[in-house]
Amino acid sequence: MQQDNLEIPPDHLPTRLWQELTRAPHDRHHDWRTPILATQGIDQSGPQARTVVLRHADAPLWTLRVYTDARSAKCSELVAQPLAQLTFWSKRLHWQLRVSALATVDFEGEQVDAAWEHVRQSPARADYLSALPPGHIQTSREPVAEGAKDALRGHHLAILSFKVSSMDWLALGQDGHRRARLTSDGLLAWLVP
Ligand SMILES: Cc1cc2nc3c(=O)[nH]c(=O)nc-3n(C[C@H](O)[C@H](O)[C@H](O)COP(=O)(O)O)c2cc1C
């Protein structure tokens, strides 16, 4: 188990965490590329958690970005209740990071257009072109055809932006674990793991 976790000076910790977060979207093998996004379900459906791909991390602004289908449940959930949590686990670092954030959902605009320009050139474009919305009940196991696209935009991509308010870092070590809470206004508190 990695031991240098325990040697990070407290004032380096935010920088170290954002270093990993900004690397993850560009590294297919980085465990932090696929965090779990938790939201509050609608209509008493309870907490909802699912894997997403981290597309962008901005260290100075403490923001994270994810792409999704504008018709997915997570969009309506975040519009109704924007408090969300993203949980990351790295097997390499033996680090868990739980990020609390305020989400905004962009269905259109320059950022969405730019993201679509990029995504449409990749195989992932199919994720935003399906005729039926995610979660729709299917009558057969046939793949859903493309079509019935958003009349104006020709796709269903939406951007979820997360303004991080605090992070809960847990580092596992053979000689003991460490845990800290960091906030966007620069506070750091050590916690009992
Ligand atoms: C490895 C992996 C990556 C995924 N990435 C995304 C993603 O970036 N955006 C997304 O909307 N769904 C992604 N999904 C699918 C979601 O986990 C989820 O099944 C889907 O978005 C429906 O979620 P919802 O109905 O709660 O909105 C991914 C699933 C896996 C297994």
Side-chain angles (χ1 to χ4, degrees):
M1 204 174 276
Q2 185 149 328
Q3 288 303 294
D4 57 350
N5 293 333
L6 311 181
E7 309 308 328
I8 300 171
D11 50 336
H12 288 190
L13 186 56
T15 311
R16 257 314 267 122
L17 293 176
W18 280 101
Q19 201 175 46
E20 295 296 337
L21 286 169
T22 48
R23 272 181 199 161
H26 309 288
D27 178 356
R28 289 200 162 269
H29 303 291
H30 200 301
D31 289 331
W32 283 10
R33 191 163 183 268
T34 48
I36 303 292
L37 165 65
T39 53
Q40 184 171 304
I42 288 173
D43 297 335
Q44 314 289 321
S45 59
Q48 299 292 321
R50 77 288 275 164
T51 314
V52 291
V53 174
L54 182 65
R55 298 291 187 159
H56 183 75
D58 188 315
L61 293 179
W62 275 48
T63 56
L64 303 172
R65 206 182 300 157
V66 166
Y67 299 162
T68 194
D69 187 307
R71 303 164 296 175
S72 68
K74 66 183 86 51
C75 282
S76 351
E77 288 163 9
L78 288 169
V79 167
Q81 168 49 270
L83 290 177
Q85 193 167 65
L86 288 142
T87 301
F88 303 78
W89 160 246
S90 166
K91 200 171 178 215
R92 170 176 59 91
L93 298 162
H94 291 275
W95 288 0
Q96 172 184 262
L97 189 67
R98 296 162 68 197
V99 170
S100 299
L102 193 68
T104 49
V105 187
D106 286 307
F107 296 100
E108 57 185 18
E110 271 176 37
Q111 281 199 347
V112 175
D113 294 345
W116 177 243
E117 260 326 291
H118 184 69
V119 169
R120 68 186 295 203
Q121 295 163 42
S122 74
R125 70 179 169 276
D127 297 345
Y128 308 98
L129 293 172
S130 117
L132 297 172
H136 188 90
I137 292 172
Q138 282 189 286
T139 47
S140 81
R141 291 179 70 184
E142 291 297 305
V144 178
E146 290 182 12
K149 295 164 196 164
D150 182 298
L152 284 175
R153 307 182 307 158
H155 65 85
H156 296 284
L157 187 146
I159 298 181
L160 308 177
S161 298
F162 298 93
K163 176 77 185 144
V164 178
S165 53
S166 67
M167 303 199 278
D168 182 327
W169 172 73
L170 174 68
L172 304 182
Q174 265 168 358
D175 298 332
H177 311 321
R178 296 218 80 179
R179 182 175 174 191
R181 184 169 191 273
L182 300 84
T183 59
S184 54
D185 48 9
L187 297 177
L188 187 147
W190 295 105
L191 308 177
V192 175

